[in-house]
Amino acid sequence: MCVANTGKILSIDSEKNTASVDFRGSRVNARMGLADVKVGDRVLVHAGCILQKVSDEQYEEWTALAKELEAD
Amino acid sequence: MNDLKNIIRYLKEYDGEDIRIMEICGSHTGAIAKNGIEAMLSKKIHLISGPGCPVCVTPSAYIDKLIELSLESDTTVVTFGDLLRVPGSRESLREAQGRGARVKMVYSPMDIIGIAEAAPDQKFVFAAIGFETTTPVYALLLDTLIREKVENVRLLTALKTMPEVVEILCLGGAKIDAFIAPGHVCVVTGSRIFEPAAQKYKMPFVVSGFEGEDLLRTIYLLVENKGEGKVINNYPSVVSYEGNETAQALVNKYFIKSDASWRGIGNVAGSGLLIKPEFSKYDAGSSGLEYDEKKNKACSCDKVIMGLISPEECPLFGKVCNPGNPQGACMVSPEGSCNTRFCIR
């Protein structure tokens, strides 16, 4: 139940306090209010809410590692 | 050692002392199964599933209360899908729907706001279960309900916190040497929450992500650090030492520490959260839901949750108890140990 997915914020609706988040092509509206985020940030979404901003540096490192494995 | 190929080789060829590693989190249980991690390990590395599936540790008293509320003529229970088939002491929510229970399934707790605003003459109760990961979402829900003056929503809570139950696991009979610490719990709490247990019991805790690569590196770190009382953060892209302090502040605004009843474990002092008394109008009666009666007396979910037996050692596993006819909560949730084990055999 603690499942959470990483996506990228495409736009923010400040009035509704929601963000449109792209998950590899699927766009989902997620509620803001638990983390300080902006358009373009990679974020962790849990139960329809943005739980945390993802560190770009760490994300790139992990993505590179995953690509390396896929290539093997 | 950073090279994953070397880590995989190390874990396969490991020939040191036996090591028993518990993954506390149900999402890790599922990820380990999905990635075939166990098949990549030496026979001396044993993985044991723990109590970190909130559906699996919710006592029957809570399910019975949800059913009672859902049968009131003007009330609808709103819930995540996982909870629908969890057995209460007599029936599940889904079975109760057959005699008129009003139950609605949603993806996010925040969805209840639109549902409630569309039917202002009806009452709605959210089945708010979960660990530290999900509690901030319920705090945000309460904050929004108050700010937007939504008056027809309440929460029935069964919220649990990890450190207190980890203490019991450290003292229990499962003889655990190391823990895979729950990554998304630590997003909120920070990796620091496991430091006291790590230091007290001289066991390593490694905070882990949920991809196969993350888990392999985590298991390697645990094996290498056996006997060391420390917490290692192997999920730094989202986990910090302090955690999400905005989320923590919101949780502290609306919730207060309490004892909690865990299915299969019993009452654990200080391991729960309740809505603070000043916000009690949003509480649907969460206090005192303690009893836990098995639907099938032979069900061994309690021992599975504590890591004392594997799912296959339960006399019901794969026979009368299967995902189509679960006798205990561990077979219901896709993150439950028994369900996961059944689906990969």
Side-chain angles (χ1 to χ4, degrees), chain B residues 294-300 316 320 327:
Chain B
K294 290 180 183 178
K295 177 181 168 187
N296 186 323
K297 301 296 177 204
C299 170
S300 303
L316 306 181
V320 66
Q327 301 298 299

Side-chain angles (χ1 to χ4, degrees), chain A residues 31-49:
Chain A
R31 187 71 67 141
M32 301 194 303
L34 296 174
D36 188 18
V37 293
K38 60 182 188 309
V39 172
D41 283 348
R42 285 198 177 83
V43 291
L44 192 69
V45 176
H46 168 65
C49 297

Side-chain angles (χ1 to χ4, degrees), chain A residues 18-68:
Chain A
T18 59
S20 175
V21 182
D22 174 61
F23 296 96
R24 294 180 188 173
S26 299
R27 290 182 185 186
V28 174
N29 278 334
R31 187 71 67 141
M32 301 194 303
L34 296 174
D36 188 18
V37 293
K38 60 182 188 309
V39 172
D41 283 348
R42 285 198 177 83
V43 291
L44 192 69
V45 176
H46 168 65
C49 297
I50 294 173
L51 198 60
Q52 182 69 293
K53 183 184 169 187
V54 178
S55 151
D56 276 343
E57 192 185 327
Q58 299 291 348
Y59 182 84
E60 300 297 345
E61 192 179 304
W62 183 88
T63 307
L65 184 68
K67 277 185 185 159
E68 180 193 319

Side-chain angles (χ1 to χ4, degrees), chain B residues 286-301:
Chain B
S286 312
S287 187
L289 301 176
E290 291 177 2
Y291 68 82
D292 188 34
E293 293 172 10
K294 290 180 183 178
K295 177 181 168 187
N296 186 323
K297 301 296 177 204
C299 170
S300 303
C301 272

Side-chain angles (χ1 to χ4, degrees), chain A residues 1-2 34 46-47 51 55 69, chain B residues 108 134 184 213 237 244 335:
Chain A
M1 214 187 106
C2 292
L34 296 174
H46 168 65
L51 198 60
S55 151
L69 278 169
Chain B
S108 168
T134 317
H184 292 150
E213 299 81 358
S237 60
N244 181 337
E335 294 184 353

